[in-house]
């Protein structure tokens, strides 16, 4: 045995590591054993973190992780679309009017969604960010014409993220314009809702002020349950009929679009009000 292993050692020294591996493969082939399955190379660089939005956010230096804690929530709500050929539009590319600055989050989305087209819209020219699968538009989110124009250039909208001016009137105009254009099953996100409470940012100290973005978003939660309203004259709004999920986080709200028509048990439960023993819906 000792002589055999000394001989092996000598051959290995003579033929080198590569030659030794070849010899072993050849010996296995002669013995009729299965060829070893080559292990896929472990991903390196960005590929190694492309499944993890928190790491991608840090890598590309968007404040969606760090200053804010949004990436973890996006991971949960967008994971199911990861390999789909989606169109994602983000309002607010970043960098404001600083030359050559911005695009961090668009690059993060591009690496998280390998088959997606990523679009950005900003009031400033951010065309230097454009590259394969990333395209930017100049547009003001307070202007309905700009929003509709960008949406029609893109086609189907699967995901919309509002990370633009954060001014409540702008957030409302953008939502009222783009939400109806989002596809069924799509996701709409509003970031930095803290600005809703700041008068300096066109928000309000009055948490019930109906003009703020948070008031508008909170109203949508009642709409989820419009089928339970007992006012027989109530006409459901577009959002009542098309919002199926609302998720509130610190400074971030995520809205799921879909057909909201699960029905109600109110006629069976409220017998005195409806007086028909629940036979009528
Ligand atoms: C917070 S930054 C976006 C950061 C970027 N989404 C990220 O996560 O890396 C906000 C951007 O919104 C843009 N913006 C401000 N007002 C806007 C408006 N009315 N319409 C469109 N974009 C606007 C600014 O120029 C700025 O680049």
């Amino acid at each position: 045995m000792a002589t055999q292993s000394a001989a092996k050692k000598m051959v290995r020294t003579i033929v080198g590591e590569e030659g030794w591996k070849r010899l072993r493969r050849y010996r296995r082939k002669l013995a009729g054993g299965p060829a070893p399955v080559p292990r896929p190379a472990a991903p390196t660089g960005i590929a190694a973190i492309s499944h993890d939005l928190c790491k991608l956010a840090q890598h590309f230096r968007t404040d969606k992780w760090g200053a804010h804690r949004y990436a973890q929530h996006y991971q949960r709500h967008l994971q199911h679309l990861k390999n789909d050929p989606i169109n994602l539009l983000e309002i607010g590319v970043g960098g404001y009017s600083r030359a050559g600055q911005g695009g961090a989050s668009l690059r993060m989305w591009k690496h998280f969604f390998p088959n997606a087209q990523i679009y950005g819209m900003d009031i400033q020219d951010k065309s230097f960010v454009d590259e394969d699968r990333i395209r930017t538009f100049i547009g003001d989110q307070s202007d309905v014409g700009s929003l509709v124009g960008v949406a029609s250039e893109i086609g189907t909208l699967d995901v919309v993220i509002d990370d633009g001016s954060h001014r409540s009137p702008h957030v409302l105009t953008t939502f009222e314009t783009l939400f109806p254009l989002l596809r069924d099953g799509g996701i709409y996100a509003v970031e930095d809702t803290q600005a809703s409470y700041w008068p300096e940012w066109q928000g309000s100290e009055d948490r019930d002020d109906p003009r703020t973005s948070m008031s508008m978003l909170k109203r949508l939660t009642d709409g989820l349950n419009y089928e339970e309203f007992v006012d027989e004259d109530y006409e459901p709004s577009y959002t009542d009929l098309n919002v199926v999920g609302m998720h509130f986080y610190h400074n971030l709200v995520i809205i799921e679009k879909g057909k909201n028509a699960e029905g109600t048990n109110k006629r069976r439960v409220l017998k005195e009000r409806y007086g028909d023993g629940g036979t009528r819906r």
Side-chain angles (χ1 to χ4, degrees):
M1 271 319 253
T3 332
Q4 206 183 13
S5 94
K8 272 186 185 172
K9 211 170 165 186
M10 194 162 73
V11 174
R12 195 170 182 166
T13 316
I14 294 165
V15 298
E17 272 312 305
E18 271 311 305
W20 180 248
K21 279 186 199 155
R22 263 203 305 279
L23 275 177
R24 281 168 63 92
R25 276 201 295 273
Y26 187 60
R27 204 179 68 155
R28 247 185 249 119
K29 204 171 161 189
L30 284 180
V37 181
R39 263 201 230 132
T44 53
I46 298 174
I49 57 168
S50 65
H51 62 287
D52 186 329
L53 266 177
C54 298
K55 289 187 178 150
L56 283 174
Q58 282 173 291
H59 178 87
F60 288 107
R61 296 172 181 273
T62 145
D63 65 1
K64 288 179 181 11
W65 191 248
H68 304 294
R69 297 275 153 178
Y70 303 153
Q72 56 185 341
H73 305 306
Y74 281 125
Q75 181 90 45
R76 190 175 321 123
H77 293 284
L78 298 178
Q79 179 68 41
H80 65 292
L81 301 171
K82 181 154 178 43
N83 293 307
D84 291 359
I86 59 166
N87 290 328
L88 179 151
L89 169 63
E90 179 157 7
I91 313 289
V93 174
Y96 297 87
S97 55
R98 292 189 295 272
Q101 299 261 325
S105 58
L106 299 187
R107 295 182 193 111
M108 174 192 79
W109 296 126
K110 170 176 160 167
H111 284 88
F112 184 70
F113 294 112
N115 300 309
Q117 297 297 323
I118 309 299
Y119 298 94
M121 171 174 156
D122 203 288
I123 200 160
Q124 307 288 337
D125 180 3
K126 297 288 170 184
S127 53
F128 67 90
V129 174
D130 292 12
E131 60 182 45
D132 178 40
R133 296 201 292 114
I134 295 183
R135 182 176 169 196
T136 58
F137 299 92
I138 304 175
D140 180 348
Q141 72 172 127
S142 67
D143 174 47
V144 173
S146 290
L147 292 163
V148 171
V150 166
S152 67
E153 286 267 334
I154 295 172
T156 305
L157 288 176
D158 300 284
V159 177
V160 174
I161 295 159
D162 182 351
D163 186 20
S165 75
H166 308 308
R167 263 69 180 164
S168 279
H170 300 184
V171 175
L172 265 65
T173 299
T174 305
F175 181 76
E176 284 158 12
T177 309
L178 293 184
F179 188 73
L181 303 178
L182 186 70
R183 79 153 162 89
D184 241 22
I187 301 285
Y188 192 104
V190 182
E191 291 190 11
D192 290 1
T193 50
Q194 69 273 27
S196 171
Y197 308 109
W198 300 341
E200 294 83 346
W201 284 55
Q202 290 183 267
S204 171
E205 280 184 62
D206 174 4
R207 290 189 290 282
D208 294 322
D209 185 331
R211 296 165 301 176
T212 67
S213 56
M214 276 304 291
S215 288
M216 180 276 284
L217 293 161
K218 285 187 281 187
R219 280 197 297 276
L220 298 181
T221 59
D222 277 328
L224 279 173
N225 295 327
Y226 80 88
E227 288 175 295
E228 315 303 339
F229 298 170
V230 290
D231 170 2
E232 293 298 306
D233 296 328
Y234 183 77
E235 281 296 326
S237 66
Y238 180 83
T239 49
D240 290 345
L241 296 166
N242 291 285
V243 171
V244 291
M246 296 287 307
H247 307 269
F248 287 81
Y249 300 103
H250 185 70
N251 298 338
L252 172 71
V253 177
I254 294 181
I255 304 155
E256 292 178 66
K257 186 169 180 180
K259 289 285 164 266
N260 182 25
E262 289 182 8
T264 170
N265 64 354
K266 71 184 174 194
R267 291 188 185 281
R268 190 159 44 80
V269 175
L270 303 176
K271 289 194 178 86
E272 281 183 19
R273 174 182 288 274
Y274 292 106
D276 61 359
T279 52
R280 216 161 28 94
R281 266 207 78 212

